[in-house]
Amino acid sequence: MNDAQAVLRRFLMARMYRHWKVNRSRSHAKRILKQLFEVFLAEPELLPPNWQLGGDGAGGVKTARRVCDYIAGMTDDYAIDEHKRLFNLDR
């Protein structure tokens, strides 16, 4: 059984988890999350009003915690839409 599991794990690692398309998607998601965090931390007034409460201003530790919690509660689609709203200059 262990040999079969090892073969399966190697296959999945090479063909799924480290597939170039998966790596691209993961990289794209990382950039979106990083940019959202940076903009909300630098400009907390962009957060919805109830998420601005309890922060300690731009760059503050409490604000960073609020931003993390806000982003953590986002679905994938919402994060992508929020990123488009903030960074797409065509809108």
Side-chain angles (χ1 to χ4, degrees), residues 18-60:
R18 293 194 179 144
H19 190 274
W20 66 273
K21 288 183 180 180
V22 173
N23 289 338
R24 281 188 182 182
S25 293
R26 185 180 299 120
S27 177
H28 189 227
K30 283 183 192 178
R31 281 193 307 276
I32 286 173
L33 294 176
K34 183 177 187 234
Q35 290 175 349
L36 286 175
F37 178 79
E38 288 172 348
V39 75
F40 288 136
L41 184 61
E43 302 176 54
E45 64 275 6
L46 297 177
L47 289 165
N50 57 327
W51 284 97
Q52 294 176 30
L53 302 173
D56 55 354

Side-chain angles (χ1 to χ4, degrees), residues 68-81:
C68 285
D69 291 344
Y70 178 60
I71 292 172
M74 292 180 175
T75 64
D76 294 350
D77 288 338
Y78 185 79
I80 292 167
D81 289 343

